[in-house]
Amino acid sequence: MGATARWRGAIALLVVLGLLAAGFGVSLAVGDALGIRSEPAERMGTSESADAPILPAVAPPQFSVEAPQDDPRVQAAVDALSDAVAARTTDGAVGLTVTYASADGDDDAYTLSATASALSIEASTAAGAVRGVYDIARAVRDGREVATLIGEVPASRLPLRMADLGAVGVAADPVQWRSGSDYSHASKAFADVFLADPPYIDEAALAAAYDEYDAYLRQMLADGYNAIAFPGFVEFATFSGVDGVYPDGDAHIAKALALREAFGPFWERAEELGTKVFLRTDMLTLTTPLEAYLQDRFGGLDTENPELWDVYAAGLDELYAAEPALDGVLIRIGEAGNVYDVEGWDYYSALAVTTTDAVRAMLTALTAQAENAGREVIFRTWSVGVGAVGDMHTNVASYEAVLGGIDSPALIVSTKYTLGDFYSWLPLNDTLLHGDQRRIVEFQSRREFENNGAFPNDLGPEYQWALQTLLAGNENIEGIWAWTQDGGPWRAGPMILYQKAGFWQLADLNTRVAGRLAQDPEADVRQITADWAREWFSDDAETVTAIVDVMAASREAIEQGLYIQPFAEERVFAIGLEPPPMMWIFEWDILTGDSAVLDVIYTISRDRLDEALAGGADAVAAVERMRKAIAATDADTWRDPELRHRFIDTLDYELDTLDMLASYRGMIMHQAQWHDTLTPDAYAAWQDSRDAFAVQAEKHLATYEGDVDYPAYNLTAAQLGIERADRDLAMAWTSRVLLALTIAWIVIGMLAARTRLVRRPGAAAARASWVSATRPWRAEESTLGMLRADRVLLVAVPAALLVATRAVQTSLLSWTHLAVVLGAWAVFLTVVLLASRRRSPWPVIAVVGGVIMLRCALTLAVLSLSGPGGYWFAFWTEPLQRSIYITLAVALFVWMFAAAGWVLAGQWGRRRAWGIVLSGIGAGLAVPATVIAVVGLERALTIWNDQMGLLPWGLSRILGITVYLDIPASTAVYAAVAGAVVCGIGTLLAVPWRRRG
């Protein structure tokens, strides 16, 4: 008997050691999957401008222009000059003669010569002559001496200068902005033009949109741009060259023809004015019949199949033949899905081009088509971390793997100038210094992550430094793409629509700077800012100087107020992604409250905590100085009093917002500091900051909630985080009490057989629980002869502890977590008990309950330090502690199944015992997974995460948690199937096998 016991003990020891090793392996895998690390980042620099005094505005002369009458490009430029002169008081008159040698060619160099009474523009091409007239118009508009242009003006440094479509066709309807919760990226441009039924086009709305478009086009030309990105592609194609996409009579054909007839004049007008038009589309772009055709023909959206791309190439062939004014297509593969689609409009996108082979197949087919058609393909490297090509935007090796060897002359590669999205503190995107392809550089005027252009934000010095550095390092860069309006959600945040609504003039400065620098990278950006200030605000030198100085100071407020510098200066990696340098605002206007982000920000910043906290106050002080400078200007010197009021109101809004953010910064940093140090001082500092934030948040919401010009920040996630944090101390004390009771139960179980405790009520249950959990082969004997009360306690104590532990772990806020975890346990135990119902259930109940007690004791020990917040702080930021916890937790979790199998083997034999356990495991997985699959994985994860607060609340409001983390939408289905298969195998093993005689 003793030898058998020793043998069993040795086997158990080996099993435990194996489980610990397995748990340690899981901990390493978890750490590798999290991949949380950081390294110093070399942020990009800024250019320096001479601090020359701002000169007073100069009155222009009246111009009598002699120019070719038959060239619409020249006439548009002359109109711009006339409009500029009409907006100013004139002094004198001068003649202007415009001549050029050839109507063709892209060389826009010209010579401006002058006599006492006349100016003359001479150019080799119409492009040069047009540029000369626009330059004079710009000088008039900006209040500068036209004489400063006299001489030879070289060709623009970058020949391709593209802009987006601005806010053309977008309705400035405050109702759509008032809720502030519409994070759709769809512009809904021309929504009032489209009709659901024939004739599909509202002609009156179309005419109004055309006028808007024509005015925008003229403005872009005046600012130096010569190309636009026009949204759409599949909407305009009938796929007549591909049999089977649309059957005869399909409404998509009639719609495409109607849309082409409606927007063809838009493209022709651009061509008439010398502006290129690129159709801007996501890939894959689809309609319901097109997707059905691709699914049927290729067995799915097989983007690695070159023949699939032949379908899209045929659509482009058709379009170019029907609309010769189109110059090419601009493709994005990194963002797609519902957030970009328009409800009720059967044109949508799918995130399906995620592999290197898919990208290469796409570009090979579409560039070949472009070469044959005499067009171009602009391919954006923006891939948002999704799929195998997820980091080609920021990783030189990935860029080369994806695009190396694709050297079509029709291909232009477009890349953001920042090493990531349009945030501050980022390094220059070094992928722009590599590759043999033609390249263009992307800039964003209305910075979406820096409150959508609602704050002063002068990016000129940064733009100039970036462009000069890139041009010095890559001779293949030939253009820019400036986003005057686009990027991010259209209707969450301030209602700022370019040339239409809100204080759009602030972002217009960045559009103007980008265009000027593309023409001349050496231009004086401070002078450009002064020109902008004179055009929109004042001719008074003192007022203009004040505005220029305020804009120069605007970056300090942005960089310190919206970012936490010690964190922003690091390049952070996590979960296979590279989070942006902001993160605590994730994203746009969502103040996050999740543990993963905030704990990591603190950990990276804790050695410079005072500096991290001081940034908020520095930003507030900077805005106070900016406001004081604008308020000190003479109101009578402003051209439009309303714009002065807007400027001051904007700075009041920025001041209030940054003041609130400074309080929140203190709160989240001190909260994490408490979890890190467990000191009373840190806890008190957190409480003080929390109270300050509560006051600031209430004031902020009371002042700005519902204001479409100056909207309140979205504080939902932050308030959820505060609600969880407020419960941490109470949950810690609850955990301590529960842990003490748990230890008492375990100790009673350990000592009951050797002391008089054995006669006490419940002692037998405690002893059975302890013995069964540690020596499952003795579970049956330990449960013999138990009284009814002991049996009740044997079930009730572990069950109650499990519920209480999981409830405390969620701060009593996540019924979803409780339902899934407890439901899985209930299903497992129910299946096991039903399968073994002909034998006594108490041994297996004792085993499961006993191991649950040990497992809960481990969790409670961690929770007792500083509550669930401390639990997750250690998980995200302390690799050693995380590894120890996961090792023990996994070992105990698996030991429960091993121990259950062990005790059942004594009743049913090994095969049937393991069959019963596997049946329970499979059912415990399949049932919750099936429920999640029915609910929808994205929805289920969103509900769970909102209640637990582990990952950013905004994830599901942007791409979605599953997309962002690259979790297949079918994961729950596969899990349910896997569980069913395991359950089926277990059932086969559990049933009796009869032998033939």
Side-chain angles (χ1 to χ4, degrees):
M1 186 73 176
T4 301
R6 286 193 296 273
W7 176 81
R8 287 171 173 169
I11 294 295
L13 179 61
L14 290 175
V15 171
V16 169
L17 291 175
L19 293 180
L20 288 172
F24 181 66
V26 171
S27 75
L28 293 179
V30 170
D32 183 64
L34 291 176
I36 300 174
R37 62 183 178 86
S38 66
E39 61 186 41
E42 184 181 353
R43 66 173 300 190
M44 68 182 70
T46 57
S47 65
E48 297 291 337
S49 293
D51 193 16
I54 303 298
L55 300 176
V58 176
Q62 285 285 353
F63 290 89
S64 56
V65 181
E66 182 180 340
Q69 299 293 312
D70 57 349
D71 192 325
R73 294 171 294 177
V74 175
Q75 290 305 308
V78 171
D79 290 344
L81 176 57
S82 298
D83 292 342
V85 171
R88 289 196 166 273
T89 303
T90 59
D91 180 16
V94 68
L96 174 61
T97 304
V98 181
T99 60
Y100 55 83
S102 172
D104 299 322
D106 296 326
D107 182 359
D108 62 357
Y110 67 91
T111 300
L112 179 64
S113 55
T115 66
S117 60
L119 296 171
S120 175
I121 295 175
E122 296 178 8
S124 60
T125 67
V130 168
R131 181 187 173 196
V133 178
Y134 276 126
D135 282 355
I136 293 175
R138 181 186 293 157
V140 171
R141 200 172 65 188
D142 298 340
R144 288 184 286 111
E145 286 276 9
V146 175
T148 58
L149 300 172
I150 293 174
E152 294 184 2
V153 179
S156 295
R157 178 64 176 82
L158 298 177
L160 179 60
R161 302 176 298 279
M162 183 168 66
D164 62 7
L165 198 60
V168 173
V170 179
D173 180 4
V175 173
Q176 297 182 28
W177 269 262
R178 187 152 288 125
S179 72
S181 59
D182 181 1
Y183 289 95
S184 169
H185 287 41
S187 71
K188 301 180 184 176
F190 309 114
D192 56 347
V193 173
F194 305 139
L195 299 177
D197 301 309
Y200 301 117
I201 298 296
D202 184 313
E203 294 296 337
L206 179 67
Y210 182 87
D211 291 341
E212 211 173 273
Y213 168 82
D214 187 63
Y216 175 78
L217 200 59
R218 288 171 177 264
Q219 181 62 51
M220 289 299 98
L221 287 164
D223 284 338
Y225 292 89
N226 60 5
I228 59 166
F230 198 101
F233 157 46
V234 74
E235 297 91 332
F236 307 119
T238 67
F239 292 97
S240 57
V242 183
D243 291 335
V245 173
Y246 296 134
D248 291 342
D250 191 298
H252 290 83
I253 297 175
K255 284 182 181 179
L257 295 175
L259 289 174
R260 287 210 306 243
E261 183 178 354
F263 291 103
F266 286 62
W267 307 329
E268 291 165 3
R269 178 58 171 164
E271 182 183 43
E272 185 177 63
L273 296 181
T275 302
K276 289 186 173 183
V277 178
F278 292 90
L279 291 180
R280 178 181 175 185
T281 184
D282 288 322
M283 280 295 178
L284 287 176
T285 180
L286 299 162
T287 64
T288 300
L290 175 58
E291 182 175 8
Y293 171 83
L294 297 176
Q295 295 273 7
D296 182 61
R297 180 175 170 185
F298 301 109
L301 300 179
D302 183 6
T303 55
E304 296 183 3
N305 189 336
E307 293 185 12
L308 179 142
W309 296 109
D310 289 340
V311 175
Y312 287 94
L316 289 170
D317 277 331
E318 169 205 338
L319 265 181
Y320 294 152
E323 302 294 341
L326 295 173
D327 294 277
V329 63
L330 188 160
I331 296 170
R332 177 178 69 177
I333 65 167
E335 295 187 56
N338 292 337
V339 74
Y340 304 94
D341 301 332
V342 178
E343 186 178 355
W345 187 244
D346 189 33
Y347 301 92
Y348 53 95
S349 57
L351 198 67
V353 186
T354 57
T355 67
T356 297
D357 289 342
V359 175
R360 295 181 72 85
M362 176 185 72
L363 292 180
T364 299
L366 298 188
T367 55
Q369 183 277 331
E371 289 180 37
N372 292 332
R375 300 303 200 280
E376 292 171 316
V377 174
I378 300 177
F379 172 65
R380 296 190 61 202
T381 59
W382 186 241
S383 47
V384 203
V386 176
V389 298
D391 64 345
M392 69 173 171
H393 181 70
T394 57
N395 187 302
V396 172
S398 297
Y399 178 93
E400 290 294 338
V402 175
L403 293 168
I406 302 179
D407 55 1
S408 169
L411 176 63
I412 302 172
V413 179
S414 179
T415 302
K416 295 180 182 181
Y417 80 105
T418 46
L419 197 70
D421 215 333
F422 289 119
Y423 291 94
S424 299
W425 294 100
L426 289 173
L428 184 68
N429 195 334
D430 59 346
T431 65
L432 279 161
L433 298 171
H434 297 270
D436 298 325
Q437 295 82 16
R438 302 162 62 193
R439 304 296 294 273
I440 61 174
V441 185
E442 298 178 20
F443 298 102
Q444 187 181 48
S445 302
R446 185 186 63 94
R447 293 280 275 239
E448 59 182 288
F449 302 111
E450 293 167 355
N451 210 10
N452 283 289
F455 300 156
N457 197 358
D458 181 3
L459 294 161
E462 183 172 290
Y463 280 6
Q464 184 169 50
W465 182 91
L467 205 51
Q468 289 176 346
T469 304
L470 293 172
L471 290 173
N474 188 352
E475 61 183 9
N476 296 320
I477 292 175
E478 62 178 59
I480 67 164
W481 176 20
W483 304 4
T484 67
Q485 176 72 39
D486 214 348
W490 276 73
R491 291 163 180 82
M495 190 177 77
I496 296 175
L497 296 175
Y498 191 62
Q499 299 182 345
K500 273 188 173 181
F503 199 7
W504 59 268
Q505 288 86 354
L506 287 176
D508 178 59
L509 171 60
N510 295 325
T511 298
R512 181 173 301 192
V513 168
R516 288 284 298 279
L517 291 175
Q519 292 180 309
D520 177 13
E522 304 301 323
D524 185 339
V525 293
R526 189 169 188 270
Q527 184 61 54
I528 298 173
T529 305
D531 294 343
W532 164 82
R534 272 195 293 262
E535 177 183 356
W536 290 115
F537 305 116
S538 176
D539 284 335
D540 179 72
E542 290 186 6
T543 298
V544 170
T545 300
I547 294 171
V548 170
D549 290 343
V550 162
M551 295 306 294
S554 65
R555 294 298 294 153
E556 180 185 3
I558 295 291
E559 291 177 350
Q560 294 297 329
L562 298 180
Y563 299 84
I564 298 173
Q565 182 172 344
F567 177 77
E569 287 181 333
E570 294 286 314
R571 191 174 178 186
V572 180
F573 303 87
I575 322 178
L577 304 170
E578 187 173 348
M582 187 177 284
M583 286 306 292
W584 66 312
I585 305 171
F586 190 90
E587 289 183 305
W588 308 302
D589 64 344
I590 300 172
L591 200 56
T592 198
D594 59 282
S595 62
V597 166
L598 300 181
D599 291 343
V600 170
I601 289 176
Y602 163 80
T603 304
I604 291 174
S605 307
R606 63 183 160 193
D607 292 338
R608 299 163 59 191
L609 188 58
D610 290 342
E611 182 183 352
L613 295 171
D618 292 343
V620 169
V623 179
E624 287 174 338
R625 291 192 298 270
M626 292 160 62
R627 190 197 185 283
K628 183 178 180 181
I630 295 298
T633 60
D634 185 348
D636 293 335
T637 64
W638 286 69
R639 185 172 295 111
D640 183 350
E642 177 60 27
L643 288 179
R644 184 174 185 273
H645 286 307
R646 277 190 177 275
F647 221 130
I648 293 174
D649 289 346
T650 291
L651 291 170
D652 284 338
Y653 173 52
E654 184 174 17
L655 184 62
D656 180 271
T657 302
L658 298 190
D659 200 15
M660 176 187 69
L661 293 179
S663 299
Y664 190 69
R665 174 195 308 243
M667 188 194 80
I668 60 176
M669 299 300 271
H670 287 306
Q671 177 190 347
Q673 185 185 32
W674 174 56
H675 292 312
D676 182 27
T677 64
L678 302 178
T679 62
D681 288 346
Y683 187 84
W686 167 61
Q687 288 283 288
D688 290 344
S689 298
R690 183 208 177 283
D691 293 343
F693 172 73
V695 172
Q696 290 292 337
E698 184 178 5
K699 174 176 174 285
H700 180 77
L701 293 174
T703 305
Y704 294 112
E705 196 165 32
D707 189 328
V708 298
D709 293 316
Y710 307 111
Y713 264 50
N714 187 330
L715 304 182
T716 302
Q719 289 164 341
L720 289 173
I722 292 171
E723 184 179 9
R724 287 185 290 269
D726 281 345
R727 300 185 180 201
D728 272 339
L729 189 57
M731 293 301 102
W733 277 107
T734 303
S735 298
R736 293 164 193 169
V737 172
L738 290 173
L739 179 61
L741 293 175
T742 303
I743 292 174
W745 179 264
I746 292 173
V747 169
I748 290 171
M750 295 169 65
L751 301 179
R754 298 183 178 88
T755 66
R756 286 177 293 177
L757 282 173
V758 72
R759 301 188 185 93
R760 301 291 182 182
R767 181 177 181 278
S769 177
W770 167 252
V771 170
S772 300
T774 56
R775 287 151 290 172
W777 56 88
R778 293 185 57 189
E780 188 167 3
E781 68 175 75
S782 69
T783 57
L784 293 174
M786 282 198 307
L787 299 176
R788 179 180 180 85
D790 287 314
R791 290 180 175 177
V792 170
L793 291 174
L794 190 63
V795 175
V797 171
L801 184 63
L802 177 62
V803 172
T805 301
R806 294 306 178 188
V808 169
Q809 191 176 16
T810 66
S811 300
L812 308 182
L813 291 173
S814 179
W815 63 266
T816 304
H817 187 81
L818 286 173
V820 172
V821 173
L822 299 181
W825 279 111
V827 170
F828 167 78
L829 196 55
T830 299
V831 169
V832 169
L833 293 178
L834 287 175
S836 59
R837 62 187 181 279
R838 295 182 182 179
R839 302 287 190 272
S840 172
W842 297 110
V844 74
I845 290 175
V847 164
V848 172
V851 178
I852 284 176
M853 296 292 293
L854 297 177
R855 180 70 174 77
C856 288
L858 174 64
T859 301
L860 290 169
V862 179
L863 291 171
S864 65
L865 296 176
S866 59
Y871 175 100
W872 289 110
F873 177 86
F875 181 84
W876 300 120
T877 67
E878 302 293 344
L880 178 59
Q881 295 178 27
R882 179 178 64 229
S883 294
I884 293 172
Y885 177 80
I886 291 176
T887 297
L888 295 176
V890 170
L892 284 170
F893 180 71
V894 180
W895 171 248
M896 195 273 295
F897 301 118
W902 202 321
V903 72
L904 289 172
Q907 297 177 325
W908 296 95
R910 293 178 184 175
R911 172 181 61 80
R912 296 185 68 186
W914 284 109
I916 292 170
V917 171
L918 286 175
S919 297
I921 292 173
L925 173 62
V927 172
T930 300
V931 173
I932 291 172
V934 171
V935 171
L937 181 60
E938 178 63 38
R939 183 183 175 197
L941 285 175
T942 297
I943 295 172
W944 174 78
N945 188 58
D946 286 355
Q947 295 171 356
M948 294 292 292
L950 305 183
L951 299 174
W953 180 87
L955 276 182
S956 62
R957 280 81 185 172
I958 308 167
L959 282 176
I961 296 175
T962 54
V963 174
Y964 201 85
L965 299 183
D966 201 17
I967 302 173
S970 54
T971 298
V973 175
Y974 288 141
V977 171
V981 170
V982 170
C983 185
I985 293 172
T987 301
L988 291 175
L989 292 173
V991 298
W993 292 357
R994 295 185 179 181
R995 297 179 180 177
R996 291 184 178 181

